[in-house]
Amino acid sequence: MSKNLVIVESPAKAKTIEGYLGKDFKVASSYGHVRDLPKGDKAIDIQNRFKPTYEVTPDKKEVIKQLKSLVKNAETVYLASDDDREGEAISWHLKEVLKLKDENTKRIVFREITKNAITKAIENPRTIDYDLVNAQQARRILDRLVGFELSPILWKKIKAGLSAGRVQSVAVRLIVEREREIEKFKSKSAYRITAIFDVEGKSLAAELPKKFDSQEEAEDFLKKCIGAEFNIQNLEKKPGKKTPAAPFTTSTLQQEASRKLSFSVAQTMSVAQKLYEAGKITYMRTDSTNLSEDAMAAAKDEITSAYGSEYHKSRKYSTKSEGAQEAHEAIRPTDFSKHDTSGDRNEQRLYELIWKRAIASQMADAELEKTNVTIGISTLPQTLTATGEVIKFEGFLKVYLESTDEEPEDDESTEKGLLPPLKIGQVLELVEMKGRETFSRPAPRYTEASLVKKLEEMGIGRPSTYAPTISTIQKRNYVIKESREGTERKYTEMKISKGTFKKENKTEIAGADKNKLFPTNIAMVVNDFLVEHFPNVIDFTFTARVEKEFDDIAQGGQNWEDMIQNFYGAFHTRVEETANVARADVNSARELGVDPKTGKKVIVRLGKFGPLAQIGEQEDEEKQFASLKRGQFIENITLEDALELFKLPRDVGQFEDKKIVAAIGRFGPYLRHDSKFVSLGKEHDPLSISEEEAIELIKAKRKADAEKHIKTFEENEEIQILNGRWGPYIKFGKNNFKIPKDKEAAELTYAETIEIIENQPEKKKGRFAKKK
């Protein structure tokens, strides 16, 4: 039996570390947190300085039993959970639960899983940092108090099953307020003048720096340019440079992986976790842009050998975040000489992104030459401008260029590029000049990545909270992430070419959104209630200040019980006062007008299963209901739109002598045929779908269902073998189980299936769990 026991958080990490340590070390995993606050009001003793009661979570009892057995035979126990507040808390909980003694317990930390880092950590142990533990404990307790006291208020006043949270409710508020900002935005039109010139067979794009407010002004300008002579009035060349971005922090990695790889925030963190546990990258939860001296030296070697010494420039980056720990490092490869990694395609893509960003941060500036061209018009005092950019020395651009979230102003935004040869006084031949109507835009809806950026800028949340916060607000149906089609918009375009003027009315699709965050009706109602009755809890500056107080606790500058007491007193008083608010004052029902057919009132309100329109008063026995469509809001739906909803359910036609009905339900629009349901996607409207389209969808659903099912067993019909997105799998109850690669799904026997289920202990297997 090994005399040294190392306890880490994940089995993948344990496997990697065990390969670096000798036979005297046994590495085991705690599988994350082992204790938590129990459910109910007994978890925190508010009268006794918020003293918490912790209990081992049910799924960790077997883990603790195994760890206790290993501890008995170990001379020294090394607690090696992650080097952050959560990790420190895990080490403390393990020490308490396993009843470890100070004299044979050591805390070790590392931020990369390499032999060198692990060896250094073993050689330089420390004790548990109780300031970090208390900071994590304060966050957990404060968030439990907020959730535990606010959620029942929401159940009573708005709808059962709702939840609120200190950070999640602030994130929802940002999305709700952005949606209302977009709704109220009044777009203004202006006219942009652009021109294309022919210079010895090459095109030169130019534009008028100022837009015209009216069509008349733009038309007048264009007509005065007919027959004019255009010449180069001025050429101005300026040297310029581009500087590389800092290495990745958690939030910048999430943003860039979203832009370049189309990853969700949760997906980025999941893939990064795998890379970290395999020893490929440093720890992925960090707000530091710092690189160690060793890392900078390794990057230098890689750059000079691959590109030459002129491409290297040593750089140290300072972190903007006040709470950042500069002793920690940015996210970087553990070995710069490895340009790729084993693993699936997404691991390879994310690793490559991290490698390029870290390498680029230690490379020379890109040197540019910018040329500004001024073009005179013989018939007018205004001038057109053209700009070009030539890269004189690539520098870091040889490896990497950061993306942005900025959207182009319109479809004809001119790219800066190489200009044709030009000289002052040169006469230019006009190919065409356009005056195109453009429209001002509201601030864009948030993506997951831009929401993370906003939260970080406001000082709300920390690297460990971004991904769970964004997942939570979607799971709880406060926010939907989806793409929505734009609407058709008319615009005017005028053009002069070969001495003639032409004006056309055209159409374009405006306002399309791809993978943006939209609030639901329930989010708007809950947000308004919290803003009115609990302004502190979801106030942006207050929430940021609480984060700073957690940082103070982590640095030993504040007592955690005092910090919670300062918050809780006023908060609890507000909870008690809000108990007297009438439910009717909260539920934001709106009266839209009168139904012309029945003469009854038309109301929109929140129902048990979501937002709905209602014809008739509550006491009316013959009142009618219709669910609102996705994207329709209680606060701004019109009477006309609400009445359209009552055209559903709608008879679409017949198939196999049975009626096809289109309707909108709790989970969106659907077809019903022969007691079976087919969901309708965004491309089909239940109000207009044809019989032919409906039949095709019904047939497609039958085919998909038939292909999904592989096998069931007479011994237990709950166990099914199904075809999934990633191949065949076993489904039992609510759990799914992988089928080993050497097994053929269709040929599995009942006994083999049970054996597969029993041999995957991480799943909750109910009655098939092995009794030990």
Side-chain angles (χ1 to χ4, degrees):
M1 184 61 79
S2 303
K3 61 182 181 180
N4 298 298
L5 174 65
V6 180
I7 305 176
V8 296
E9 290 176 42
S10 79
K13 195 192 294 186
K15 189 177 177 184
T16 308
I17 291 171
E18 201 158 52
Y20 296 134
L21 297 171
K23 58 181 171 46
D24 290 339
F25 287 84
K26 166 72 180 169
V27 186
S29 169
S30 71
Y31 293 85
H33 275 282
V34 293
R35 287 201 308 182
D36 199 4
L37 300 169
K39 291 178 180 176
D41 58 357
K42 304 291 186 226
I44 301 163
D45 187 349
I46 293 166
Q47 306 306 320
N48 188 16
R49 298 275 286 164
F50 305 98
K51 185 180 178 184
T53 297
Y54 294 104
E55 63 179 30
V56 174
T57 51
D59 61 325
K60 294 299 167 64
K61 286 183 178 173
E62 187 62 35
V63 172
I64 292 298
K65 187 178 172 184
Q66 290 169 5
L67 288 175
K68 280 182 175 177
S69 171
L70 292 170
V71 165
K72 278 181 190 174
N73 299 301
E75 291 177 19
T76 306
V77 177
Y78 292 90
L79 299 171
S81 47
D82 290 337
D83 184 18
D84 55 17
R85 293 174 202 172
E86 290 292 325
E88 207 69 23
I90 288 172
S91 281
W92 174 69
H93 283 299
L94 283 167
K95 184 173 183 286
E96 296 290 304
V97 173
L98 301 174
K99 296 182 170 54
L100 301 177
K101 294 174 184 173
D102 288 339
E103 56 268 25
N104 65 348
T105 304
K106 295 178 180 180
R107 169 80 170 117
I108 59 169
V109 292
F110 41 83
R111 295 188 74 82
E112 60 183 78
I113 303 175
T114 58
K115 186 168 187 177
N116 188 38
I118 304 302
T119 306
K120 273 187 181 175
I122 296 281
E123 289 169 357
N124 298 282
R126 62 169 172 82
T127 55
I128 288 172
D129 185 334
Y130 286 95
D131 291 331
L132 289 180
V133 173
N134 287 336
Q136 188 275 344
Q137 195 164 229
R139 179 189 289 279
R140 184 75 188 92
I141 291 170
L142 187 64
D143 287 349
R144 168 59 74 89
L145 289 170
V146 169
F148 192 78
E149 298 210 0
L150 266 191
S151 296
I153 292 282
L154 297 179
W155 302 343
K156 289 175 190 171
K157 306 300 176 186
I158 301 174
K159 185 172 174 271
L162 294 175
S163 70
R166 192 181 50 81
V167 177
Q168 80 170 52
S169 297
V170 172
V172 171
R173 182 181 180 183
L174 284 167
I175 293 163
V176 167
E177 290 185 355
R178 177 60 56 88
E179 192 66 32
R180 286 175 172 158
E181 196 182 319
I182 292 167
E183 181 63 33
K184 289 175 186 171
F185 184 80
K186 301 292 182 210
S187 185
K188 290 182 180 176
S189 71
Y191 286 80
R192 179 171 176 250
I193 307 293
T194 59
I196 301 290
F197 297 97
D198 179 41
V199 182
E200 297 174 6
K202 294 181 180 177
S203 290
L204 171 66
E207 68 176 290
L208 190 70
K210 177 181 175 278
K211 288 183 180 178
F212 291 112
D213 292 332
S214 71
Q215 184 180 318
E216 292 74 24
E217 289 175 289
E219 187 173 333
D220 181 59
F221 178 88
L222 286 170
K223 285 178 175 176
K224 284 179 179 173
C225 287
I226 296 174
E229 182 180 277
F230 300 89
N231 69 350
I232 306 290
Q233 280 191 356
N234 194 29
L235 281 173
E236 190 179 19
K237 292 187 179 182
K238 288 182 179 177
K241 66 176 183 177
K242 273 191 170 82
T243 303
F248 284 129
T249 61
T250 302
S251 76
T252 55
L253 177 64
Q254 289 168 350
Q255 290 164 52
E256 195 73 337
S258 172
R259 299 178 194 125
K260 279 190 158 73
L261 309 179
S262 299
F263 283 9
S264 70
V265 166
Q267 184 182 11
T268 298
M269 295 312 289
S270 171
V271 176
Q273 179 92 30
K274 289 177 187 172
L275 289 171
Y276 169 65
E277 289 175 350
K280 306 298 184 187
I281 63 168
T282 53
Y283 192 49
M284 65 285 152
R285 291 190 183 92
T286 179
D287 47 15
S288 172
T289 52
N290 190 40
L291 289 179
S292 68
E293 295 295 334
D294 288 349
M296 289 169 69
K300 179 183 178 181
D301 290 344
E302 183 63 27
I303 293 161
T304 52
S305 66
Y307 310 113
S309 58
E310 70 274 19
Y311 279 87
H312 173 257
K313 182 176 180 180
S314 183
R315 300 173 189 271
K316 273 196 174 289
Y317 294 87
S318 58
T319 305
K320 292 175 186 174
S321 172
E322 284 183 45
Q325 298 180 56
E326 293 294 349
H328 292 164
E329 277 197 84
I331 304 167
R332 62 163 176 85
T334 54
D335 183 350
F336 281 105
S337 69
K338 291 182 179 172
H339 295 205
D340 48 35
T341 180
S342 55
D344 63 26
R345 181 169 174 266
N346 284 341
E347 286 174 57
Q348 176 58 44
R349 292 169 75 207
L350 191 66
Y351 178 81
E352 188 178 291
L353 191 68
I354 293 165
W355 186 92
K356 285 181 175 179
R357 176 84 164 218
I359 278 285
S361 77
Q362 297 302 303
M363 291 179 75
D365 292 340
E367 294 172 16
L368 316 169
E369 183 181 79
K370 294 182 179 179
T371 304
N372 295 320
V373 184
T374 306
I375 301 167
I377 309 167
S378 63
T379 55
L380 288 163
Q382 293 100 321
T383 57
L384 302 171
T385 60
T387 56
E389 202 171 77
V390 179
I391 295 172
K392 294 291 189 181
F393 173 64
E394 281 182 298
F396 77 94
L397 291 178
K398 200 166 187 70
V399 174
Y400 179 84
L401 178 63
E402 184 181 23
S403 300
T404 70
D405 289 317
E406 291 172 14
E407 297 173 3
E409 187 183 350
D410 56 51
D411 294 336
E412 298 189 14
S413 292
T414 51
E415 292 280 330
K416 288 183 183 176
L418 195 64
L419 295 172
L422 300 169
K423 59 181 184 288
I424 292 175
Q426 183 176 350
V427 175
L428 303 174
E429 182 189 339
L430 179 68
V431 177
E432 67 173 30
M433 185 182 286
K434 283 184 186 176
R436 188 190 193 280
E437 187 177 13
T438 62
F439 299 87
S440 58
R441 295 179 180 183
R445 290 180 175 90
Y446 289 106
T447 60
E448 286 189 356
S450 65
L451 181 61
V452 165
K453 185 179 182 183
K454 183 69 174 175
L455 290 169
E456 186 184 43
E457 285 171 356
M458 298 175 83
I460 295 165
R462 286 295 180 262
S464 61
T465 64
Y466 302 135
T469 296
I470 285 170
S471 295
T472 298
I473 61 178
Q474 291 178 67
K475 279 179 194 164
R476 292 182 175 163
N477 202 35
Y478 286 130
V479 171
I480 298 166
K481 181 174 82 170
E482 65 181 9
S483 299
R484 290 187 185 172
E485 294 174 4
T487 54
E488 201 172 80
R489 177 173 67 189
K490 291 179 180 177
Y491 70 94
T492 302
E493 184 178 271
M494 297 169 284
K495 185 197 290 187
I496 60 168
S497 179
K498 295 178 181 176
T500 60
F501 174 85
K502 187 180 177 185
K503 180 162 61 175
E504 287 182 279
N505 291 321
K506 296 186 171 184
T507 58
E508 63 184 351
I509 300 298
D513 277 305
K514 186 178 179 184
N515 290 332
K516 295 290 178 72
L517 300 176
F518 295 84
T520 60
N521 278 278
I522 199 72
M524 290 177 155
V525 174
V526 169
N527 177 72
D528 291 350
F529 176 78
L530 293 176
V531 167
E532 182 178 353
H533 298 287
F534 296 92
N536 261 14
V537 175
I538 61 170
D539 176 76
F540 301 134
T541 53
F542 173 80
T543 308
R545 194 168 75 241
V546 168
E547 293 290 354
K548 285 182 182 174
E549 290 187 42
F550 291 145
D551 293 341
D552 287 345
I553 295 166
Q555 290 156 21
Q558 187 173 173
N559 179 282
W560 73 268
E561 292 102 333
D562 291 343
M563 180 256 170
I564 291 178
Q565 183 62 62
N566 293 338
F567 170 88
Y568 183 74
F571 168 69
H572 184 67
T573 302
R574 206 78 188 91
V575 169
E576 291 177 327
E577 290 169 357
T578 309
N580 301 319
V581 175
R583 186 182 175 98
D585 295 339
V586 176
N587 206 341
S588 74
R590 272 181 72 223
E591 189 178 315
L592 302 183
V594 174
D595 173 26
K597 288 182 183 176
T598 62
K600 294 178 181 179
K601 284 182 182 177
V602 180
I603 298 160
V604 281
R605 64 180 180 84
L606 275 179
K608 186 177 180 182
F609 299 116
L612 56 85
Q614 176 180 317
I615 295 176
E617 301 278 7
Q618 283 298 99
E619 57 275 9
D620 186 346
E621 290 183 9
E622 296 182 355
K623 58 182 176 286
Q624 297 171 259
F625 302 105
S627 296
L628 265 58
K629 288 198 275 188
R630 185 170 278 190
Q632 291 182 323
F633 293 115
I634 289 170
E635 62 186 47
N636 57 28
I637 189 173
T638 64
L639 176 63
E640 291 73 22
D641 286 341
L643 290 173
E644 278 287 305
L645 299 170
F646 288 95
K647 292 178 180 177
L648 298 171
R650 166 180 160 256
D651 287 353
V652 177
Q654 294 269 328
F655 178 51
E656 296 173 345
D657 297 327
K658 292 185 176 70
K659 200 188 316 184
I660 305 170
V661 176
I664 295 177
R666 184 180 174 188
F667 303 110
Y670 65 89
L671 297 173
R672 186 177 70 247
H673 174 261
D674 193 20
S675 303
K676 293 184 175 65
F677 298 88
V678 179
S679 293
L680 291 177
K682 299 185 190 94
E683 66 276 17
H684 294 293
D685 187 336
L687 288 165
S688 60
I689 189 169
S690 67
E691 180 183 77
E692 188 181 345
E693 289 172 319
I695 290 169
E696 285 301 312
L697 290 174
I698 292 165
K699 286 180 178 177
K701 177 76 163 52
R702 283 180 183 175
K703 186 171 183 282
D705 287 348
E707 289 173 352
K708 184 178 180 182
H709 183 269
I710 297 174
K711 197 171 191 178
T712 50
F713 298 96
E714 288 181 8
E715 294 92 331
N716 188 337
E717 290 183 1
E718 273 191 80
I719 298 176
Q720 302 175 70
I721 300 177
L722 304 173
N723 244 325
R725 188 178 174 189
W726 313 114
Y729 65 97
I730 298 165
K731 181 176 175 64
F732 173 53
K734 292 182 179 178
N735 295 307
N736 299 331
F737 301 88
K738 287 181 182 177
I739 296 172
K741 289 178 181 176
D742 60 342
K743 300 283 186 185
E744 189 65 45
E747 294 173 8
L748 284 174
T749 64
Y750 180 67
E752 286 174 321
T753 306
I754 296 301
E755 188 181 349
I756 291 169
I757 292 172
E758 287 185 337
N759 287 329
Q760 291 185 33
E762 69 276 11
K763 301 288 183 187
K764 296 174 186 175
K765 302 182 295 293
R767 77 194 83 152
F768 285 112
K770 282 186 180 176
K771 300 287 187 290
K772 293 192 179 179

